[in-house]
Amino acid sequence: MDLQLTGKRALVTGSTSGLGEAIARRLAAEGATVVVHGRDEQRAVNVADAIRADGGSADIAVGDLATDAGAATVAGAATARGPIDILVNNAGGYDPIGWAQAAPAAWARLYEVNVISGVRMIQHLVPGMRERGWGRVVQIGGGLAGQPTADQPHYTATLAARHNLAVSLARDLAGTGVTSNVVAPGAIMVDAVRDLLVRLAPTHGWGETPDEIERAATADWVPNDTGRFGRPDEIASAVAYLASPLASYISGATLRVDGGTVRSVQ
Ligand SMILES: NC(=O)c1ccc[n+]([C@@H]2O[C@H](COP(=O)([O-])OP(=O)(O)OC[C@H]3O[C@@H](n4cnc5c(N)ncnc54)[C@H](OP(=O)(O)O)[C@@H]3O)[C@@H](O)[C@H]2O)c1
C-alpha cells in the first residue's frame, strides 16, 4: 500500500532511540523527509546517517524540549529546509518511582518533559499546517493513560494529558485539513526495556532465554492477548498510517497498539 508520504516533511521528536527512531525510519522508508531530533547531537547524526544509508532523506534538529528556548531552537532547525507537514510528539522520559517518592517537583518536571514539550512544538508548527491546509499531528500516548497502575503516577498522568490535549486540538482544527490523533503503545521492547527484563529475570524467576523471559514478564506485568511485548516497528506502522493522507477521516482518535493489554470497548 502506498501511504502517499513522498514529498512530506516530518519532525519526529525524540527520534535518537526507541520508538522515535523506529518511527523516523519508517516515515523515511515511506518517502517522507524526516527531521531526526533529540538532545544528543551525535545520536541524531547517527540515526540520520542510517536513514540516508537506506536511501531515505533526513535532517537533524537538536534541543531540549523541556524549555521554551530549546523548543524554539528545534522548531527553527526543523523548518530551516522547508515547512513541517507531520509532527510526531514522541519525546519524553520515565521516572520509575512511586507515590511515596514522587514529590511535587518531580510531577512538575515530568509534566514539562512529557506534555508541555509537545505543546510547544504544536504551537510552533501547527499554525503553518493550518495556513497550508494540510497537516498531521500524532501524539505518542500509552495504555497507562486510561489504565494506570500504582507505579509512576506522575508518568501515567502525563500520558493521560497527552491523550486529552490531542482530542482538544482535533476539535480546534475542525475544517482545516489538519488532524490530531494518538497512538497508544502498550509495553514495547525497546533496548532499555530488554536490558531491564534481563536484569530482573533471576529475582522474578522468569527463566533464562530471551523468549522465556519475555513470556514470563508479559504474564507478570502486562498480560495481553499476544503473550509478548510489542516491537517499535509495530508502533511505527500505526504512526505512518495516521500521518498519511489515507487517514484524512480520522481526527481525535486513539489507536491502541498493545496486543489487547487495555481491556475496554473505547
Ligand atoms: N517504550 C514503551 O513501552 C512506551 C510505552 C508507552 C509510551 N511510550 C512513550 O514513547 C516515547 C518514547 O519512549 P521510548 O521508550 O522510545 O524512550 P527512549 O528510548 O528513552 O526515547 C526517548 C527519546 O526522547 C528524547 N528526549 C527525552 N527527553 C527529552 C527532552 N527533554 N527534550 C528533547 N528530547 C528528549 C530522547 O532523546 P535524547 O536522549 O537524545 O535527548 C530520546 O530520543 C515516550 O514519550 C514514552 O512516554 C513508550
Side-chain angles (χ1 to χ4, degrees):
M1 179 162 57
D2 176 10
L3 291 181
Q4 302 169 17
L5 286 168
T6 301
K8 304 292 187 200
R9 191 172 164 85
L11 168 63
V12 183
T13 69
S15 43
T16 53
S17 66
L19 305 188
E21 178 177 354
I23 294 164
R25 284 171 172 260
R26 173 62 58 86
L27 292 176
E30 295 291 340
T33 295
V34 173
V35 181
V36 177
H37 159 264
R39 289 164 301 181
D40 184 316
E41 180 165 4
Q42 189 54 53
R43 294 202 301 147
V45 167
N46 292 347
V47 174
D49 283 349
I51 287 172
R52 289 187 208 109
D54 286 343
S57 177
D59 299 324
I60 67 163
V62 176
D64 185 351
L65 301 183
T67 69
D68 287 344
T73 302
V74 171
T79 52
R81 298 172 70 176
I84 294 295
D85 306 298
I86 298 163
L87 167 63
V88 183
N89 274 332
N90 164 80
Y94 308 93
D95 193 16
I97 56 178
W99 276 98
Q101 296 81 36
W107 283 74
R109 195 172 49 248
L110 211 55
Y111 199 80
E112 274 289 354
V113 173
N114 284 357
V115 182
I116 303 179
S117 55
V119 173
R120 291 185 174 103
M121 299 321 293
I122 287 166
Q123 290 181 342
H124 279 294
L125 300 176
V126 170
M129 297 180 194
R130 244 183 222 280
E131 276 170 27
R132 293 186 299 278
W134 197 92
R136 295 285 182 266
V137 184
V138 179
Q139 307 289 323
I140 302 302
L144 292 169
Q147 190 169 279
T149 62
D151 303 323
Q152 300 199 62
H154 51 337
Y155 170 68
T156 59
T158 64
L159 294 182
R162 292 179 184 178
H163 284 228
N164 191 287
L165 74 86
V167 177
S168 172
L169 180 63
R171 299 294 85 85
D172 189 59
L173 289 168
T176 63
V178 185
T179 66
S180 165
N181 292 293
V182 179
V183 169
I188 307 302
M189 192 68 86
V190 296
D191 290 345
V193 169
R194 185 174 287 109
D195 294 347
L196 179 71
L197 297 187
V198 168
R199 238 184 4 260
L200 295 180
T203 44
H204 285 73
W206 284 339
E208 284 174 13
T209 69
D211 280 356
E212 284 169 353
I213 294 172
E214 181 172 356
R215 260 197 311 277
T218 301
D220 269 8
W221 280 0
V222 279
N224 68 69
D225 299 345
T226 68
R228 63 173 176 84
F229 282 61
R231 297 294 185 267
D233 272 352
E234 294 174 311
I235 303 306
S237 299
V239 172
Y241 169 61
L242 287 177
S244 78
L246 304 188
S248 59
Y249 197 55
I250 303 177
S251 198
T254 296
L255 178 46
R256 289 202 308 251
V257 186
D258 67 1
T261 306
V262 173
R263 296 176 181 277
S264 154
V265 292
Q266 292 188 330

